[in-house]
């Protein structure tokens, strides 16, 4: 059996970012907490904490801390007096656009303390696979061993720009020639929405001058400020389209991105209220 | 002299996330781009690209790509026909709360394409030091060699919660006892605002049940949804306080965080319009 008090020390250090804060949270001395970690490292034969700065978990340390969270989550489903007084930590990965538009509210249904990770669209499935998160809201439909994947619906994106930007850069409409010169907004290097839309529009692939804005709200704001054109979630810029602050470069060419709620099967029962809330919110906010 | 065409290939691969997209953007063949990178790696004696997935720059590769951006930025200050047709890329680090409240608009004054990095409050100065960004908007005042630091003013935070949350968790006010039990919101493990406020309030340090929400807007939204209490930028929740949706746990105890615009001196002249815009926006939005 693992040394659970030592795992608790490990998890607190990772969550609070220092040995000292963890010792304080657990009401033990700093030397006692260091000792617990050293013992755990000796027994597991791996460094579990990168002493920094900043202090953070190693791959092996994060895995063990996540295991503790899962055990606590399972404990929370026990009936009666076995029920722990401390609420479990529920670590979830979510794509930024969902968080910015519809998926914050259902999080309140989580039966525990939320630890949210913003999915940069590349790691969510790895995190699920190695147990670092118990569920992920992602556009990635690939099946993960030991996980259930629930399709939630489609999020609609629209190619948008200010009327001034469009008049200057797309006087004859958005075509291959004008798109190759107009500054485009990009969330991060994994964001392929603009490229996908261009391919659907023109049948071609076009290299464009990129500007990177890695925040959903700032991305929409940058569009409104005329820094570039970009694919914005419809829910985020519906009012701008209605008032004419932004225009849709091709109203008959939205881009729909399917979203999935992927859950580690071992935690599915424990987070069932959250899953229900996600499904209900998706039913209202996403296209079926 | 460095092989600049090869550096261009390197920078495009890092920016676009694949050899193939970079080859397309530079209108050369994939094998030509691979060859350039191999030559560059042979000459520099270091791996510059982690072939992934995901494809990304190594520390050495990112350093070289940032050097290219700086050279381009310097080129952009040359007069007349030397002026390059391609706008330079201006990489900037910024703290999430500034981006969410007042600092997106001044970015439109940047004389080039924006590449924004959201500062997790720990790396901005390292990035400046090793040239990965040309400027950083940060609460970190530590001087960086080769950089100028301009104080911009103070951003005011308020300890906020819904009236229901306060009634339930702080019936007799926020004191050491109640704060140790009430769920608190936390941006990430480097976010010490809540702890600092508690220390100023109670003179003590108190371990609390943490919930992590690593997005400024979602953090404010989570406060409105009653998930926890947290330190929100006043500019972000002023309306909620006015309408009574949120209450200030201690109206006479705001927390002020000074902000600095730190600029690599070699790039200062090239980004002067951006610096002016930052100073002007700060004058309007921050406390002096």
């Amino acid at each position: 059996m693992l040394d659970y008090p030592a795992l608790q020390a490990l998890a607190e250090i990772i969550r609070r970012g220092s040995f000292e804060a963890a010792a304080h949270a657990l009401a033990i001395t700093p030397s006692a907490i260091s000792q617990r970690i050293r013992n755990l490292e000796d027994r597991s034969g791996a460094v579990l904490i990168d002493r920094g700065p900043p202090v953070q978990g190693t791959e092996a340390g994060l895995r063990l801390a996540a295991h503790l969270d899962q055990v606590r989550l399972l404990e929370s489903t026990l009936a009666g007096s076995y029920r722990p007084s401390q609420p479990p930590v529920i670590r979830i990965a979510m794509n930024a656009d969902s968080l910015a538009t519809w998926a914050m509210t259902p999080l309140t249904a989580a039966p525990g303390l939320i630890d949210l990770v913003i999915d940069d669209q590349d790691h969510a499935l790895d995190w699920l696979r190695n147990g670092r998160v118990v569920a992920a809201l992602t556009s990635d439909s690939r099946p993960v061993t030991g996980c259930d994947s629930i399709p939630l619906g489609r999020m609609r994106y629209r190619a948008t720009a200010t009327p001034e930007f469009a008049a200057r850069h797309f006087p004859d409409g958005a075509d291959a020639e004008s798109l190759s010169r107009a500054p485009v907004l990009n969330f991060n290097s994994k964001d392929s929405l603009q490229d996908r839309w261009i391919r659907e529009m023109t049948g071609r692939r076009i290299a464009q001058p990129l500007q990177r804005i890695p925040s959903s709200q700032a991305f929409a704001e940058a569009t409104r400020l005329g820094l570039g054109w970009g694919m914005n979630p419809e829910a985020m810029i519906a009012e701008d389209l209605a008032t004419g602050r932004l225009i849709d470069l091709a109203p008959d060419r939205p881009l729909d991105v399917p979203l999935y709620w992927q859950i580690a099967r071992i935690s599915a029962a424990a987070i069932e209220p959250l899953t229900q809330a996600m499904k209900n919110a998706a039913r209202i906010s996403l296209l079926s």
Side-chain angles (χ1 to χ4, degrees), chain A residues 140-218:
Chain A
D140 203 325
S141 65
R142 280 174 290 168
V144 179
T145 311
C147 290
D148 290 326
S149 176
I150 301 173
L152 291 179
R154 290 167 299 126
M155 190 151 171
R156 176 155 285 184
Y157 286 81
R158 295 201 169 269
T160 39
T162 61
E164 299 73 32
F165 186 94
R168 180 171 164 205
H169 293 280
F170 306 126
D172 305 315
D175 55 22
E177 171 61 22
S178 55
L179 285 165
S180 71
R181 282 205 270 255
V184 65
L185 301 175
N186 190 264
F187 188 85
N188 61 28
S189 64
K190 309 298 168 281
D191 171 13
S192 61
L193 292 180
Q194 286 70 224
D195 282 341
R196 280 169 55 193
W197 182 79
I198 287 186
R199 234 188 257 227
E200 288 189 12
M201 276 287 284
T202 67
R204 288 173 50 187
R205 174 170 185 185
I206 294 167
Q208 312 156 76
L210 294 182
Q211 309 211 75
R212 194 146 296 159
I213 310 284
S215 145
S216 298
Q217 288 88 352

Side-chain angles (χ1 to χ4, degrees), chain A residues 73-84:
Chain A
L73 193 53
L74 287 176
E75 281 183 3
S76 73
T77 62
L78 293 174
S81 59
Y82 297 108
R83 232 190 147 81

